[in-house]
Amino acid sequence: MAGAGMAIAVLTSGGDAQGMNAAVRAVTRMGIYVGAKVFLIYEGYEGLVEGGDNIKQANWLSVSNIIQLGGTVIGSARCKAFTTRAGRLRAARNLVEHGITNLCVIGGDGSLTGADIFRSEWGGLLEELVRDGQISEEVARENCRLNIVGLVGSIDNDFCGTDMTIGTDSALHRIMEVIDAITTTAQSHQRTFVLEVMGRHCGYLALVSGLASGADWLFIPESPPEDGWEDLMCERLGETRSRGSRLNIIIIAEGAIDRNGKPISSNYVKDLVVQRLGFDTRVTVLGHVQRGGTPSAFDRVLSSKMGMEAVMALLEATPDTPACVVSLSGNQSVRLPLMECVQVTKDVQKAMDEKRFDEAIQLRGRSFENNWNIYKLLAHQKPAQEKSPFSLAILNVGAPAAGMNAAVRSAVRIGICQGHTVYVVSDGFEGLSKGQIREVGWHDVAGWLGRGGSMLGTKRTLPKTCMEKIVENVRKFNIQGLLVIGGFEAYEGVLQLVEARGQYEELCIVMCVIPATISNNVPGTDFSLGSDTAVNAAMESCDRIKQSASGTKRRVFIVETMGGYCGYLSTVTGIAVGADAAYVYEDPFTIHDLKANVEHLTDKMKTDIQRGLVLRNEKCHEHYTTEFLYNLYSSEGKGIFDCRINVLGHLQQGGAPTPFDRNYGTKLGVKAVLWMSEKLQEAYSKGRTFANSAESACVIGLRKKVVAFSPVTELKKVTDFEHRLPQEQWWLNLRLMLKMLANYQISLTEYISGTMEHVTRRTLSIEKGF
């Protein structure tokens, strides 16, 4: 009860963003969890100024069943009054009346700047209220300090210092759904589509959706096209069409400008294409569709994480702590001084106004710059400077995972840019042993980005069953580099090839594994390709199941997820849907835990929320099977609730890849091939390649904030081969969040608070993952 005696208020302000409700829920529940009183302020700053019924105390159930809703259930409004001192004076009086001295603001940079001004004036406002006789000196003394913490809710991702703002990922989901739908109609008619996406001052949405859809041309405010771009664009579109492509997609941010700062409108681009090329062209303005709909799994987990961290930041605030904003860095929560972030965000705008465009892109941060450079590399084929002596082969191994095709596409294209001969192999290592190998060109992989599954075909066969034949084909096709995209089998397979180097000199080649599996169980990376799509697929199913349970009342669903022994999928899905429990192999549980869960649900049925959702990872326990849990819950809940089972099965593997997986696959493909090219140069002498160091066979992965290459022989030491798992997994600390938000009593000592970091031009230039 570290927060006993505290009062926290939460409000949402500015434009709405998907995930705000998940953040409101997390702040409310975490506040109550630590013993504080929590107040919801309705209608943003307007409610704060008006007071009265707009400020209501919340309980645990006030925020039940809102995690899956878009927008914000407590309302948001632009407020003129709060920008005046008189308005802020009324707001201060309303807070003091309720004894609230901790404010959590979820909004964009304008809303957060307003909160900081409010905080700096707080002492003066209280003095004025005492002078006017509205409050006593004693009350003023008791409420002498206002603590502020901000969460950035903005679909534009335009706030500097944080990797992702609340709502950005969901907005990308909406954009990609539209692009996928438009692609099919455009191909039917040979059309050109000009898509206008949101982002008045920030091109993030346009940039990532351009990268994730392979758009032909892209306009972003941070990097206006060179003068004479009209000729170049039309020439490029004409060229793509003459090569047999049936569609062109042009993506334009609503704030797009030319080098002189003059706006470029979507209609201008459309008229240009029609007049110069005579193509059938249509404009689609996405508008507020991008703000709408249900939040993605990433936004729900991000908001929940940030909401809990915000409460901890308020608990730990001292008179010297600056107003902070909670943000994401890699997969960790961090706290950043609010005004440092606002300052850098303003610097970007200033650089753009003064036409210092290269600087604007740098100030947006390293990952923005990377996205831009990779988009330019892959959008259009530039002839290689010279033919390289190297041949690469690319194959998929293991179960299919969304994003595999995006990785193959970018790897093929970047390999061709480098002048290598690029082969693709069908059906994994088995195909490699049977010689199912063919050379591919730039256009052979067009349109692969949004396709789910594996276009190359994939098998689980490991090399040791057909080593001789693999070696024979490596020699026959003169392959010097092997890029293997797949799950645990891909990692294990490359390890087997490396261990056979002593026997076969042909295997002294450069090898790289891109982890791609919905189970997220490959060592050497925090995120495997395809796991984001799988979590979203499982979450959408659970949302529907919850809806069914709410309708029938007093019903508990037991849902089984995939993932082998790895509990990542069920843990993250559990957080995203607000599950009551998620059973996983890594977090051992006993019959006492099951008993506690049943009692917990029995108590829950006595409240207004008469439904339960329990997730179970498929191999979490050898005896406590899904069937067993169903029987246990059914018999213990007799007369109180009834039970149903759902096995999600293979639907978790399917569907179109999410924007994250398309983007992540694209980047991993590029980085892996650039790394392989470098290693090939090092290992090449006298006309042949000889690579047998541990560093020449690696897994590429995202570790906290950085892309790392880990030798497979090193990873072997930290792998549990029996259960096909890394020995340590970062996401286990998310389990605490799952249990706290489901109202299990756990000691706060286990919670690891974020640290305060600073935002400078130097920190922005450090690569922040994807």
Side-chain angles (χ1 to χ4, degrees):
M1 304 301 278
M6 264 176 87
I8 299 172
V10 57
L11 65 89
T12 52
S13 170
D16 65 312
Q18 305 97 319
M20 280 184 165
N21 288 326
V24 169
R25 171 182 178 268
V27 171
T28 305
R29 292 197 164 177
M30 188 66 173
I32 293 170
Y33 199 89
V34 299
K37 280 183 180 173
V38 181
F39 292 86
L40 299 176
I41 297 174
Y42 290 81
E43 308 307 331
Y45 283 124
E46 200 172 286
L48 190 59
V49 174
E50 295 297 325
D53 277 350
N54 289 312
I55 303 177
K56 290 185 188 146
Q57 192 174 343
N59 60 27
W60 194 268
L61 302 184
S62 306
V63 289
S64 169
N65 217 13
I66 65 169
I67 193 167
Q68 73 277 21
L69 303 176
T72 160
V73 293
I74 56 175
S76 175
R78 310 260 179 220
C79 177
K80 276 276 188 289
F82 193 76
T83 58
T84 65
R85 187 173 166 97
R88 292 193 288 274
L89 190 68
R90 285 168 64 193
R93 166 134 195 236
N94 289 329
L95 286 183
V96 170
E97 263 178 19
H98 291 88
I100 299 167
T101 52
N102 297 283
L103 192 58
C104 173
V105 178
I106 305 166
D109 57 348
S111 309
L112 300 182
T113 310
D116 194 63
I117 294 168
F118 189 39
R119 179 186 122 121
S120 61
E121 290 180 352
W122 185 252
L125 294 170
L126 292 195
E127 279 170 26
E128 200 172 319
L129 290 172
V130 172
R131 249 197 337 271
D132 296 350
Q134 292 193 42
I135 59 170
S136 66
E137 288 200 5
E138 191 188 341
V139 169
R141 262 199 312 279
E142 281 168 9
N143 298 287
C144 61
R145 194 176 99 231
L146 179 68
N147 296 319
I148 294 269
V149 64
L151 300 183
V152 192
S154 154
I155 66 165
D156 293 337
N157 204 24
D158 56 356
F159 195 77
C160 291
T162 177
D163 293 2
M164 285 293 258
T165 57
I166 294 170
T168 307
D169 187 64
S170 303
L172 284 170
H173 273 254
R174 294 300 92 76
I175 295 171
M176 294 319 300
E177 282 162 17
V178 171
I179 292 178
D180 286 350
I182 274 177
T183 304
T184 53
T185 171
Q187 283 179 328
S188 310
H189 295 276
Q190 291 207 16
R191 278 200 176 129
T192 298
F193 267 92
V194 181
L195 248 82
E196 185 181 304
V197 300
M198 279 185 163
R200 266 202 308 279
H201 307 296
C202 178
Y204 185 86
L205 289 178
L207 175 53
V208 175
S209 49
L211 194 59
S213 64
D216 296 278
W217 196 273
L218 184 59
F219 293 95
I220 57 172
E222 290 85 350
S223 181
E226 299 292 342
D227 293 341
W229 59 269
E230 291 94 339
D231 301 336
L232 190 60
M233 182 184 81
C234 292
E235 185 188 321
R236 176 96 41 99
L237 295 177
E239 209 176 297
T240 336
R241 196 59 75 87
S242 64
R243 281 210 204 91
S245 165
R246 294 182 64 85
L247 85 154
N248 303 109
I249 290 182
I250 299 166
I251 293 179
I252 181 165
E254 60 182 347
I257 47 174
D258 65 15
R259 286 270 154 187
N260 306 313
K262 194 170 135 267
I264 298 175
S265 75
S266 40
N267 280 321
Y268 175 71
V269 175
K270 174 202 156 181
D271 295 341
L272 194 69
V273 177
V274 172
Q275 284 159 15
R276 302 240 185 134
L277 298 166
F279 290 171
D280 185 359
T281 308
R282 299 280 188 277
V283 171
T284 303
V285 179
L286 267 59
H288 282 71
V289 165
Q290 295 158 89
R291 282 192 192 283
T294 177
S296 66
F298 180 89
D299 272 329
R300 297 184 198 189
V301 176
L302 170 74
S303 306
S304 303
K305 210 183 217 170
M306 285 174 156
M308 288 178 71
E309 185 60 37
V311 172
M312 295 307 286
L314 290 171
L315 270 184
E316 293 164 11
T318 65
D320 311 326
T321 319
C324 78
V325 55
V326 174
S327 88
L328 173 77
S329 179
N331 54 30
Q332 314 291 313
S333 300
V334 294
R335 302 172 192 176
L336 306 168
L338 171 62
M339 291 327 284
E340 285 182 16
C341 298
V342 170
Q343 190 49 54
V344 181
T345 306
K346 285 182 175 159
D347 289 347
V348 179
Q349 194 51 49
K350 193 168 173 231
M352 279 156 62
D353 294 342
E354 294 172 7
K355 303 192 174 55
R356 300 195 311 275
F357 295 114
D358 289 347
E359 194 180 331
I361 283 195
Q362 281 164 0
L363 286 170
R364 280 271 180 241
R366 186 68 184 279
S367 108
F368 188 94
E369 194 178 350
N370 249 336
N371 280 332
W372 183 227
N373 292 335
I374 288 178
Y375 171 76
K376 290 188 291 190
L377 263 178
L378 299 176
H380 181 65
Q381 184 171 5
K382 299 158 199 69
Q385 308 291 297
E386 55 190 59
K387 187 86 184 95
S388 92
F390 305 120
S391 306
L392 304 181
I394 303 171
L395 59 155
N396 291 163
V397 175
M404 278 182 163
N405 298 323
V408 173
R409 169 188 175 268
S410 66
V412 165
R413 290 194 164 181
I414 206 81
I416 291 170
C417 284
Q418 302 267 306
H420 307 322
T421 303
V422 183
Y423 295 111
V424 292
V425 182
S426 303
D427 298 340
F429 290 121
E430 194 176 303
L432 187 58
S433 72
K434 290 179 177 166
Q436 297 170 339
I437 301 168
R438 65 179 195 279
E439 191 179 338
V440 280
W442 183 275
H443 299 288
D444 295 332
V445 289
W448 280 29
L449 256 169
R451 306 285 286 272
S454 159
M455 303 281 284
L456 293 180
T458 172
K459 289 264 174 77
R460 290 179 182 270
T461 316
L462 287 170
K464 65 179 179 200
T465 57
C466 48
M467 193 67 83
E468 297 278 340
K469 287 180 170 166
I470 286 179
V471 171
E472 195 182 307
N473 280 317
V474 167
R475 183 171 58 240
K476 181 176 158 190
F477 286 88
N478 190 21
I479 294 167
Q480 292 107 333
L482 202 57
L483 176 61
V484 186
I485 303 167
F488 199 84
E489 287 94 350
Y491 153 69
E492 214 176 337
V494 167
L495 191 57
Q496 288 178 7
L497 294 176
V498 169
E499 287 170 347
R501 277 174 171 175
Q503 255 176 298
Y504 306 102
E505 201 181 301
E506 291 85 346
L507 295 177
C508 295
I509 57 176
V510 176
M511 298 182 237
C512 183
V513 178
I514 294 182
T517 163
I518 68 168
S519 307
N520 200 21
N521 63 337
V522 179
T525 184
D526 290 350
F527 295 103
S528 294
L529 201 52
S531 58
D532 184 65
T533 305
V535 168
N536 276 286
M539 174 194 85
E540 284 165 19
S541 301
C542 289
D543 279 350
R544 292 181 185 142
I545 290 168
K546 258 174 75 176
Q547 200 175 14
S548 152
S550 302
T552 41
K553 298 276 186 285
R554 295 180 184 276
R555 179 163 286 175
V556 173
F557 273 92
I558 294 168
V559 177
E560 182 186 304
T561 65
M562 287 170 98
Y565 283 99
C566 179
Y568 175 82
L569 200 54
S570 50
T571 298
V572 179
T573 306
I575 294 167
V577 297
D580 296 286
Y583 300 120
V584 302
Y585 166 76
E586 295 91 340
D587 189 358
F589 56 98
T590 62
I591 193 72
H592 299 297
D593 298 310
L594 296 179
K595 184 170 173 268
N597 292 153
V598 174
E599 284 164 6
H600 179 85
L601 282 165
T602 310
D603 288 342
K604 193 175 167 185
M605 295 299 159
K606 294 172 188 159
T607 67
D608 295 349
I609 324 174
Q610 299 185 343
R611 58 174 166 71
L613 182 67
V614 175
L615 281 96
R616 180 190 173 275
N617 171 251
E618 57 183 355
K619 289 189 178 170
C620 66
H621 199 287
E622 114 187 72
H623 302 299
Y624 299 152
T625 59
T626 306
E627 196 65 30
F628 176 89
L629 291 183
Y630 168 71
N631 292 333
L632 175 78
Y633 273 76
S634 296
S635 109
E636 292 294 316
K638 214 179 198 100
I640 303 160
F641 57 79
D642 67 346
C643 228
R644 293 285 185 277
I645 289 183
N646 256 66
V647 178
L648 297 181
H650 284 71
L651 71 81
Q652 294 157 89
Q653 278 181 1
T658 56
F660 177 86
D661 277 333
R662 296 181 199 203
N663 193 355
Y664 189 36
T666 300
K667 287 185 169 173
L668 288 181
V670 169
K671 302 240 173 200
V673 172
L674 292 177
W675 173 84
M676 288 172 80
S677 301
E678 201 179 300
K679 291 284 171 219
L680 284 166
Q681 293 293 343
E682 288 169 17
Y684 186 71
S685 76
K686 299 183 183 150
R688 55 174 295 212
T689 303
F690 185 78
N692 71 342
S693 67
E695 278 68 42
S696 63
C698 284
V699 170
I700 177 177
L702 194 56
R703 290 265 183 100
K704 288 199 173 129
K705 294 189 200 176
V706 289
V707 176
F709 289 89
S710 321
V712 290
T713 47
E714 292 292 306
L715 291 174
K716 187 181 177 181
K717 300 168 192 163
V718 293
T719 305
D720 167 358
F721 283 95
E722 185 196 342
H723 298 101
R724 301 159 58 93
L725 288 174
Q727 286 168 7
E728 285 195 3
Q729 294 177 289
W730 68 272
W731 54 265
L732 279 170
N733 59 23
L734 294 177
R735 306 260 322 147
L736 189 68
M737 176 158 100
L738 175 81
K739 291 171 184 170
M740 282 180 169
L741 293 177
N743 208 7
Y744 287 91
Q745 296 309 313
I746 293 167
S747 157
L748 263 185
T749 50
E750 292 179 39
Y751 185 89
I752 302 161
S753 287
T755 49
M756 181 68 96
E757 293 186 2
H758 290 279
V759 185
T760 59
R761 295 194 170 206
R762 196 185 64 76
T763 61
L764 288 171
S765 66
I766 298 167
E767 179 158 352
K768 286 272 190 68
F770 297 144

